[in-house]
Coordinates of all heavy atoms in Angstrom, one line a residue:
M703 N -12.5 7.2 13.1 CA -11.0 7.1 13.1 C -10.6 5.8 12.4 O -11.2 4.7 12.6 CB -10.5 7.0 14.5 CG -9.1 6.7 14.7 SD -7.9 8.0 14.2 CE -8.1 9.2 15.5
L704 N -9.7 5.9 11.4 CA -9.2 4.8 10.7 C -8.0 4.2 11.5 O -7.2 5.0 12.0 CB -8.8 5.2 9.3 CG -10.0 5.7 8.4 CD1 -9.4 6.2 7.1 CD2 -11.0 4.7 8.3
W705 N -7.8 2.9 11.4 CA -6.7 2.3 12.1 C -6.0 1.4 11.1 O -6.5 0.8 10.2 CB -7.3 1.4 13.2 CG -8.0 2.2 14.3 CD1 -9.3 2.6 14.2 CD2 -7.5 2.6 15.5 NE1 -9.6 3.3 15.3 CE2 -8.6 3.4 16.1 CE3 -6.3 2.5 16.2 CZ2 -8.4 4.0 17.4 CZ3 -6.1 3.1 17.4 CH2 -7.2 3.8 18.0
L706 N -4.6 1.2 11.4 CA -3.8 0.3 10.7 C -3.0 -0.6 11.7 O -2.7 -0.1 12.8 CB -2.8 1.0 9.8 CG -3.4 1.8 8.6 CD1 -2.3 2.5 7.8 CD2 -4.2 0.9 7.7
S707 N -2.7 -1.8 11.3 CA -2.0 -2.7 12.2 C -0.5 -2.7 11.7 O -0.2 -3.1 10.6 CB -2.5 -4.1 12.2 OG -3.8 -4.1 12.8
C708 N 0.4 -2.2 12.6 CA 1.8 -2.3 12.4 C 2.3 -3.6 13.0 O 1.9 -3.9 14.1 CB 2.5 -1.1 13.1 SG 4.3 -1.1 13.0
S709 N 3.2 -4.3 12.3 CA 3.7 -5.6 12.8 C 4.5 -5.4 14.1 O 4.7 -6.3 14.9 CB 4.5 -6.3 11.8 OG 5.6 -5.5 11.4
N710 N 5.1 -4.2 14.3 CA 5.9 -3.9 15.5 C 5.1 -3.3 16.6 O 5.3 -3.6 17.8 CB 7.0 -2.9 15.2 CG 7.9 -3.5 14.1 OD1 8.4 -4.6 14.3 ND2 8.1 -2.8 13.0
C711 N 4.1 -2.4 16.3 CA 3.4 -1.6 17.3 C 2.0 -2.0 17.6 O 1.3 -1.5 18.5 CB 3.4 -0.1 16.9 SG 5.1 0.5 16.6
G712 N 1.4 -2.9 16.7 CA 0.0 -3.3 16.8 C -0.9 -2.3 16.2 O -0.5 -1.5 15.3
R713 N -2.2 -2.3 16.6 CA -3.2 -1.4 16.0 C -3.0 0.0 16.4 O -3.0 0.3 17.6 CB -4.6 -1.9 16.4 CG -5.7 -1.3 15.7 CD -7.0 -2.1 16.0 NE -8.1 -1.6 15.3 CZ -9.1 -0.9 15.9 NH1 -9.1 -0.7 17.2 NH2 -10.1 -0.4 15.2
R714 N -2.8 0.9 15.4 CA -2.5 2.3 15.7 C -3.3 3.2 14.8 O -3.7 2.8 13.7 CB -1.0 2.6 15.4 CG 0.0 1.7 16.1 CD -0.1 1.8 17.6 NE 0.1 3.2 18.0 CZ -0.2 3.7 19.3 NH1 -0.7 2.8 20.2 NH2 0.1 4.9 19.6
P715 N -3.6 4.5 15.2 CA -4.4 5.4 14.3 C -3.7 5.7 13.1 O -2.5 5.8 13.0 CB -4.6 6.6 15.2 CG -3.9 6.4 16.5 CD -3.3 5.0 16.5
I716 N -4.4 5.9 12.0 CA -3.8 6.1 10.7 C -3.0 7.4 10.6 O -2.1 7.6 9.8 CB -4.9 6.0 9.6 CG1 -4.3 5.8 8.2 CG2 -5.8 7.3 9.6 CD1 -5.2 5.4 7.1
D717 N -3.3 8.3 11.5 CA -2.6 9.6 11.6 C -1.1 9.4 11.9 O -0.4 10.3 11.6 CB -3.2 10.5 12.7 CG -4.7 10.9 12.3 OD1 -5.1 10.7 11.2 OD2 -5.3 11.4 13.2
E718 N -0.8 8.3 12.4 CA 0.6 8.1 12.8 C 1.4 7.6 11.5 O 2.7 7.5 11.6 CB 0.8 7.0 13.9 CG 0.2 7.4 15.2 CD 0.5 6.4 16.3 OE1 1.1 5.4 16.0 OE2 0.0 6.7 17.4
F719 N 0.8 7.3 10.4 CA 1.4 6.7 9.2 C 1.5 7.7 8.1 O 0.7 8.7 8.0 CB 0.6 5.5 8.8 CG 0.6 4.4 9.7 CD1 -0.3 4.3 10.8 CD2 1.5 3.3 9.6 CE1 -0.3 3.2 11.7 CE2 1.5 2.2 10.4 CZ 0.6 2.2 11.5
V720 N 2.4 7.5 7.2 CA 2.5 8.3 6.0 C 2.3 7.3 4.8 O 3.0 6.3 4.8 CB 3.9 9.0 5.9 CG1 4.1 9.7 4.5 CG2 4.1 10.0 7.0
F721 N 1.5 7.7 3.9 CA 1.2 6.8 2.7 C 2.4 6.7 1.8 O 2.9 7.7 1.4 CB 0.0 7.3 2.0 CG -0.5 6.5 0.9 CD1 -1.0 5.2 1.1 CD2 -0.5 6.9 -0.4 CE1 -1.4 4.4 0.1 CE2 -0.9 6.1 -1.5 CZ -1.4 4.8 -1.2
G722 N 2.8 5.5 1.5 CA 3.9 5.3 0.6 C 3.6 4.9 -0.8 O 4.4 4.7 -1.6
G723 N 2.3 4.7 -1.1 CA 1.8 4.3 -2.4 C 1.4 2.9 -2.5 O 1.7 2.0 -1.6
E724 N 0.6 2.6 -3.5 CA 0.2 1.2 -3.7 C 1.3 0.4 -4.3 O 2.2 0.9 -5.0 CB -1.1 1.2 -4.6 CG -0.8 1.5 -6.1 CD -2.0 1.5 -6.9 OE1 -2.9 2.4 -6.8 OE2 -2.1 0.5 -7.7
I725 N 1.2 -0.9 -4.1 CA 2.1 -1.8 -4.8 C 1.4 -2.3 -6.0 O 0.5 -3.1 -5.9 CB 2.6 -3.0 -3.9 CG1 3.3 -2.4 -2.6 CG2 3.4 -3.9 -4.6 CD1 3.6 -3.4 -1.6
P726 N 1.7 -1.9 -7.2 CA 1.0 -2.3 -8.4 C 1.2 -3.7 -8.8 O 2.3 -4.2 -8.5 CB 1.5 -1.3 -9.4 CG 2.8 -0.9 -9.0 CD 2.8 -1.0 -7.5
R727 N 0.3 -4.3 -9.4 CA 0.4 -5.7 -9.9 C 0.5 -5.5 -11.5 O -0.4 -5.0 -12.1 CB -0.8 -6.5 -9.6 CG -0.6 -8.0 -9.9 CD -1.8 -8.8 -9.6 NE -2.8 -8.7 -10.7 CZ -2.7 -9.3 -11.8 NH1 -1.6 -10.0 -12.1 NH2 -3.6 -9.1 -12.8
V728 N 1.6 -6.0 -12.0 CA 1.8 -5.9 -13.5 C 1.1 -7.1 -14.1 O 1.2 -8.2 -13.7 CB 3.3 -6.0 -13.8 CG1 3.5 -6.0 -15.3 CG2 4.1 -4.9 -13.1
P729 N 0.2 -6.8 -15.1 CA -0.5 -7.9 -15.7 C 0.4 -8.9 -16.4 O 1.5 -8.6 -16.9 CB -1.3 -7.2 -16.8 CG -1.4 -5.7 -16.4 CD -0.1 -5.5 -15.6
D730 N 0.0 -10.2 -16.3 CA 0.8 -11.3 -16.8 C 1.1 -11.2 -18.3 O 2.1 -11.7 -18.8 CB 0.2 -12.6 -16.5 CG 0.1 -12.9 -15.0 OD1 1.0 -12.3 -14.2 OD2 -0.7 -13.7 -14.5
E731 N 0.1 -10.6 -19.0 CA 0.3 -10.5 -20.5 C 1.4 -9.5 -20.9 O 1.8 -9.5 -22.0 CB -1.0 -10.1 -21.2 CG -1.7 -8.9 -20.7 CD -2.7 -9.1 -19.6 OE1 -2.6 -10.2 -18.9 OE2 -3.4 -8.2 -19.3
I732 N 1.9 -8.7 -20.0 CA 3.1 -7.8 -20.2 C 4.3 -8.6 -19.9 O 4.6 -8.9 -18.7 CB 3.0 -6.5 -19.5 CG1 1.8 -5.8 -19.8 CG2 4.3 -5.7 -19.7 CD1 1.5 -4.5 -19.0
T733 N 5.1 -9.1 -20.9 CA 6.2 -10.0 -20.6 C 7.6 -9.4 -20.8 O 8.5 -9.9 -20.2 CB 6.1 -11.2 -21.6 OG1 6.1 -10.7 -22.9 CG2 4.8 -12.0 -21.3
G734 N 7.7 -8.3 -21.6 CA 9.0 -7.7 -21.8 C 9.5 -7.0 -20.5 O 8.8 -6.3 -19.9
P735 N 10.8 -7.2 -20.2 CA 11.3 -6.6 -19.0 C 11.2 -5.0 -18.9 O 10.9 -4.5 -17.9 CB 12.8 -7.0 -18.9 CG 13.1 -7.6 -20.2 CD 11.8 -7.9 -20.9
D736 N 11.4 -4.4 -20.1 CA 11.3 -2.9 -20.1 C 9.8 -2.5 -19.9 O 9.5 -1.5 -19.2 CB 11.9 -2.3 -21.4 CG 13.4 -2.4 -21.5 OD1 14.0 -2.6 -20.4 OD2 13.9 -2.4 -22.6
E737 N 8.9 -3.2 -20.6 CA 7.5 -2.9 -20.5 C 7.0 -3.2 -19.1 O 6.2 -2.4 -18.6 CB 6.7 -3.7 -21.5 CG 6.9 -3.3 -23.0 CD 8.2 -3.8 -23.6 OE1 8.9 -4.7 -22.9 OE2 8.6 -3.4 -24.7
R738 N 7.5 -4.2 -18.4 CA 7.1 -4.5 -17.1 C 7.6 -3.4 -16.1 O 6.9 -3.0 -15.2 CB 7.6 -5.9 -16.6 CG 6.9 -7.1 -17.3 CD 7.3 -8.4 -16.7 NE 6.8 -8.6 -15.4 CZ 5.5 -9.0 -15.1 NH1 4.6 -9.2 -16.1 NH2 5.1 -9.2 -13.9
D739 N 8.8 -3.0 -16.3 CA 9.4 -1.9 -15.5 C 8.5 -0.6 -15.6 O 8.2 0.1 -14.7 CB 10.8 -1.6 -15.8 CG 11.8 -2.7 -15.2 OD1 11.3 -3.4 -14.4 OD2 12.9 -2.7 -15.7
F740 N 8.2 -0.3 -16.9 CA 7.4 0.9 -17.2 C 6.0 0.8 -16.5 O 5.6 1.7 -15.8 CB 7.2 1.1 -18.7 CG 6.4 2.3 -19.0 CD1 6.9 3.5 -19.1 CD2 5.0 2.2 -19.2 CE1 6.2 4.6 -19.4 CE2 4.2 3.3 -19.5 CZ 4.8 4.5 -19.6
D741 N 5.4 -0.4 -16.6 CA 4.1 -0.5 -16.0 C 4.1 -0.5 -14.5 O 3.3 0.2 -13.8 CB 3.5 -1.9 -16.4 CG 2.0 -2.0 -16.1 OD1 1.7 -2.4 -15.0 OD2 1.2 -1.7 -17.0
L742 N 5.2 -1.0 -13.9 CA 5.4 -1.1 -12.5 C 5.5 0.3 -11.9 O 5.0 0.7 -10.8 CB 6.6 -1.9 -12.1 CG 6.8 -2.2 -10.6 CD1 5.7 -3.0 -10.0 CD2 8.1 -2.9 -10.4
V743 N 6.3 1.2 -12.6 CA 6.6 2.5 -12.1 C 5.5 3.6 -12.4 O 5.2 4.4 -11.6 CB 7.9 3.0 -12.7 CG1 8.2 4.5 -12.3 CG2 9.1 2.1 -12.2
W744 N 4.9 3.5 -13.6 CA 4.0 4.6 -14.1 C 2.5 4.3 -14.1 O 1.7 5.2 -14.2 CB 4.5 5.0 -15.4 CG 5.8 5.6 -15.4 CD1 7.0 5.0 -15.9 CD2 6.2 6.9 -14.9 NE1 8.0 5.8 -15.7 CE2 7.6 7.0 -15.0 CE3 5.5 7.9 -14.2 CZ2 8.3 8.1 -14.6 CZ3 6.2 9.0 -13.8 CH2 7.6 9.1 -14.0
M745 N 2.1 3.0 -14.1 CA 0.7 2.7 -14.3 C 0.1 2.3 -13.0 O 0.5 1.2 -12.4 CB 0.6 1.5 -15.3 CG 1.2 1.8 -16.7 SD 0.6 3.3 -17.4 CE -1.0 2.8 -18.0
Y746 N -0.8 3.1 -12.4 CA -1.5 2.8 -11.2 C -2.9 2.4 -11.5 O -3.6 2.9 -12.3 CB -1.4 4.0 -10.3 CG -0.1 4.3 -9.8 CD1 0.7 5.2 -10.4 CD2 0.5 3.6 -8.7 CE1 2.0 5.5 -10.0 CE2 1.7 3.9 -8.2 CZ 2.5 4.8 -8.9 OH 3.8 5.1 -8.4
D747 N -3.3 1.4 -10.7 CA -4.7 0.9 -10.9 C -5.7 1.7 -10.2 O -6.8 1.8 -10.7 CB -4.8 -0.6 -10.3 CG -3.9 -1.5 -11.1 OD1 -3.6 -1.2 -12.3 OD2 -3.5 -2.5 -10.6
N748 N -5.4 2.3 -9.0 CA -6.4 3.0 -8.2 C -7.7 2.2 -8.1 O -8.8 2.7 -8.5 CB -6.7 4.4 -8.8 CG -7.4 5.3 -7.8 OD1 -7.3 5.1 -6.7 ND2 -8.0 6.3 -8.3
P749 N -7.6 1.0 -7.6 CA -8.7 0.1 -7.6 C -9.8 0.5 -6.6 O -9.6 1.2 -5.6 CB -8.1 -1.2 -7.1 CG -6.9 -0.8 -6.2 CD -6.4 0.5 -6.8
D750 N -11.0 0.1 -7.0 CA -12.2 0.2 -6.1 C -12.4 -1.1 -5.5 O -13.1 -2.0 -5.9 CB -13.4 0.6 -6.9 CG -14.6 0.9 -6.1 OD1 -14.4 1.2 -4.9 OD2 -15.7 0.9 -6.6
G751 N -11.6 -1.4 -4.4 CA -11.7 -2.7 -3.7 C -10.4 -3.0 -3.0 O -9.7 -2.1 -2.5
L752 N -9.9 -4.2 -3.1 CA -8.7 -4.6 -2.4 C -7.5 -4.1 -3.1 O -7.4 -4.1 -4.3 CB -8.6 -6.1 -2.3 CG -9.6 -6.8 -1.4 CD1 -9.5 -8.3 -1.5 CD2 -9.5 -6.3 0.1
T753 N -6.5 -3.6 -2.3 CA -5.3 -3.1 -2.8 C -4.2 -3.4 -1.8 O -4.5 -3.6 -0.6 CB -5.3 -1.6 -3.2 OG1 -4.1 -1.2 -3.7 CG2 -5.6 -0.8 -1.9
T754 N -2.9 -3.5 -2.3 CA -1.8 -3.7 -1.4 C -1.0 -2.4 -1.4 O -0.7 -1.9 -2.5 CB -0.9 -4.8 -1.8 OG1 -1.7 -6.0 -1.9 CG2 0.2 -5.1 -0.9
E755 N -0.7 -1.8 -0.2 CA 0.0 -0.5 -0.1 C 1.1 -0.6 0.9 O 1.2 -1.4 1.7 CB -1.0 0.5 0.4 CG -2.3 0.6 -0.5 CD -3.4 1.4 0.2 OE1 -3.5 1.4 1.4 OE2 -4.2 2.0 -0.6
R756 N 2.0 0.4 0.7 CA 3.1 0.6 1.7 C 2.8 1.8 2.5 O 2.3 2.9 2.0 CB 4.4 0.8 1.0 CG 4.9 -0.4 0.2 CD 5.3 -1.5 1.0 NE 6.7 -1.2 1.5 CZ 7.3 -1.9 2.4 NH1 6.7 -2.9 3.0 NH2 8.5 -1.6 2.8
W757 N 2.9 1.7 3.8 CA 2.7 2.8 4.8 C 3.9 2.9 5.7 O 4.5 1.9 6.2 CB 1.5 2.5 5.6 CG 0.2 2.7 4.9 CD1 -0.4 1.7 4.1 CD2 -0.7 3.8 4.8 NE1 -1.6 2.2 3.5 CE2 -1.8 3.5 4.0 CE3 -0.6 5.1 5.4 CZ2 -2.8 4.4 3.8 CZ3 -1.7 6.0 5.2 CH2 -2.7 5.6 4.4
F758 N 4.4 4.1 6.0 CA 5.5 4.3 6.8 C 5.0 4.8 8.2 O 4.3 5.7 8.3 CB 6.5 5.4 6.3 CG 7.7 5.6 7.1 CD1 8.7 4.6 7.1 CD2 7.9 6.8 7.8 CE1 9.8 4.8 7.8 CE2 9.1 6.9 8.5 CZ 10.0 5.9 8.5
H759 N 5.4 4.0 9.3 CA 4.9 4.4 10.6 C 5.8 5.5 11.2 O 6.7 5.2 12.0 CB 4.9 3.1 11.5 CG 4.1 3.3 12.7 ND1 4.0 2.3 13.7 CD2 3.3 4.3 13.1 CE1 3.2 2.7 14.6 NE2 2.8 4.0 14.3
L760 N 5.6 6.7 10.8 CA 6.4 7.8 11.2 C 6.3 8.1 12.7 O 7.4 8.4 13.3 CB 5.9 9.1 10.4 CG 6.7 10.3 10.6 CD1 8.1 10.1 10.1 CD2 6.1 11.5 9.8
A761 N 5.2 8.1 13.3 CA 5.0 8.4 14.7 C 5.2 7.2 15.6 O 4.8 7.3 16.8 CB 3.7 9.1 14.9
G762 N 5.7 6.1 15.1 CA 5.8 4.9 15.9 C 7.2 4.3 15.7 O 8.2 5.0 16.0
C763 N 7.3 3.2 15.2 CA 8.6 2.4 15.1 C 9.4 2.9 13.9 O 10.6 2.5 13.8 CB 8.3 0.9 14.9 SG 7.4 0.5 13.5
R764 N 8.9 3.8 13.0 CA 9.6 4.3 11.9 C 10.1 3.2 10.9 O 11.2 3.2 10.5 CB 10.8 5.2 12.3 CG 10.3 6.4 13.2 CD 11.4 7.3 13.5 NE 12.0 8.0 12.4 CZ 11.5 9.1 11.8 NH1 10.4 9.6 12.2 NH2 12.1 9.6 10.8
R765 N 9.2 2.3 10.7 CA 9.5 1.2 9.7 C 8.3 1.1 8.7 O 7.2 1.6 9.0 CB 9.5 -0.2 10.5 CG 10.8 -0.2 11.3 CD 11.0 -1.6 11.9 NE 12.2 -1.6 12.6 CZ 12.9 -2.7 12.8 NH1 12.5 -3.8 12.4 NH2 14.0 -2.6 13.5
W766 N 8.6 0.5 7.6 CA 7.6 0.4 6.5 C 6.7 -0.8 6.8 O 7.2 -1.8 7.3 CB 8.2 0.2 5.2 CG 8.8 1.5 4.7 CD1 10.1 1.9 4.8 CD2 8.1 2.5 4.0 NE1 10.2 3.1 4.2 CE2 9.0 3.5 3.7 CE3 6.8 2.7 3.6 CZ2 8.7 4.7 3.0 CZ3 6.4 3.8 2.9 CH2 7.4 4.8 2.6
A767 N 5.4 -0.7 6.5 CA 4.5 -1.8 6.7 C 3.8 -2.0 5.3 O 3.5 -1.0 4.6 CB 3.5 -1.5 7.8
T768 N 3.5 -3.3 5.0 CA 2.7 -3.6 3.8 C 1.3 -3.9 4.3 O 1.1 -4.8 5.1 CB 3.3 -4.8 3.1 OG1 4.7 -4.5 2.7 CG2 2.5 -5.1 1.8
I769 N 0.4 -3.1 3.8 CA -1.0 -3.2 4.3 C -1.9 -3.6 3.1 O -1.8 -3.1 2.0 CB -1.5 -1.8 4.8 CG1 -0.5 -1.3 5.9 CG2 -2.9 -1.9 5.3 CD1 -0.6 -2.0 7.2
R770 N -2.8 -4.6 3.4 CA -3.9 -4.9 2.4 C -5.1 -4.1 2.9 O -5.5 -4.2 4.1 CB -4.2 -6.4 2.4 CG -3.1 -7.2 1.9 CD -3.1 -7.5 0.4 NE -4.4 -8.2 0.1 CZ -4.9 -8.2 -1.1 NH1 -4.4 -7.4 -2.1 NH2 -6.0 -8.8 -1.4
R771 N -5.7 -3.3 2.0 CA -6.8 -2.4 2.4 C -7.9 -2.5 1.4 O -7.7 -2.5 0.2 CB -6.3 -1.0 2.6 CG -7.3 0.0 3.1 CD -6.6 1.4 3.3 NE -6.1 2.0 2.1 CZ -6.8 2.8 1.3 NH1 -8.0 3.2 1.7 NH2 -6.2 3.3 0.3
D772 N -9.2 -2.4 1.9 CA -10.3 -2.3 1.0 C -10.6 -0.8 0.8 O -11.0 -0.2 1.8 CB -11.5 -3.1 1.6 CG -12.7 -3.1 0.6 OD1 -12.8 -2.3 -0.3 OD2 -13.5 -4.1 0.7
T773 N -10.4 -0.3 -0.4 CA -10.6 1.1 -0.6 C -12.1 1.6 -0.5 O -12.3 2.8 -0.4 CB -10.0 1.6 -2.0 OG1 -10.7 0.9 -3.0 CG2 -8.5 1.3 -2.0
T774 N -13.0 0.6 -0.7 CA -14.4 1.0 -0.6 C -14.8 1.3 0.8 O -15.8 2.0 1.1 CB -15.3 0.0 -1.2 OG1 -15.1 -1.3 -0.6 CG2 -15.0 -0.2 -2.7
T775 N -14.2 0.6 1.8 CA -14.5 0.7 3.2 C -13.4 1.4 4.0 O -13.7 1.7 5.2 CB -14.9 -0.6 3.8 OG1 -13.7 -1.5 3.7 CG2 -16.0 -1.3 3.1
D776 N -12.2 1.5 3.5 CA -11.1 2.0 4.2 C -10.7 1.2 5.4 O -10.3 1.7 6.5 CB -11.2 3.5 4.7 CG -10.7 4.5 3.6 OD1 -9.9 4.0 2.8 OD2 -11.2 5.6 3.6
V777 N -10.9 -0.1 5.3 CA -10.7 -1.1 6.4 C -9.5 -1.9 6.0 O -9.5 -2.5 4.8 CB -11.9 -1.9 6.7 CG1 -11.5 -3.0 7.7 CG2 -13.0 -1.0 7.3
Q778 N -8.5 -2.2 6.9 CA -7.4 -3.1 6.6 C -7.9 -4.5 6.6 O -8.7 -4.9 7.4 CB -6.4 -2.9 7.7 CG -5.1 -3.8 7.4 CD -4.0 -3.5 8.4 OE1 -4.1 -2.7 9.3 NE2 -3.0 -4.3 8.3
V779 N -7.5 -5.2 5.6 CA -7.8 -6.6 5.4 C -6.6 -7.5 5.7 O -5.5 -7.2 5.3 CB -8.3 -6.9 4.0 CG1 -8.7 -8.4 3.8 CG2 -9.5 -6.0 3.6
T780 N -6.7 -8.5 6.5 CA -5.6 -9.3 6.9 C -5.5 -10.6 6.0 O -6.4 -11.0 5.4 CB -5.6 -9.8 8.4 OG1 -6.9 -10.4 8.6 CG2 -5.5 -8.6 9.3
Ligands
ZN2039 ZN1 5.1 0.6 14.1

């Protein structure tokens, strides 16, 4: 069973959450505002390792949580 920590409800099973997507990091070398917006919306890293994601606690407090997760182990990192 995978677990996520909600700031309102504490440690809860991942089945209570809905994945909202990763929060992408735009590379610093992309400087134009239009190019940064394009990269932010359309370019996903799908990293093998640490990532920052949004999860919605549907079966709990019904609020969004920002979670740092290691995709190689599926464990939340604080
Ligand atoms: Zn919650």
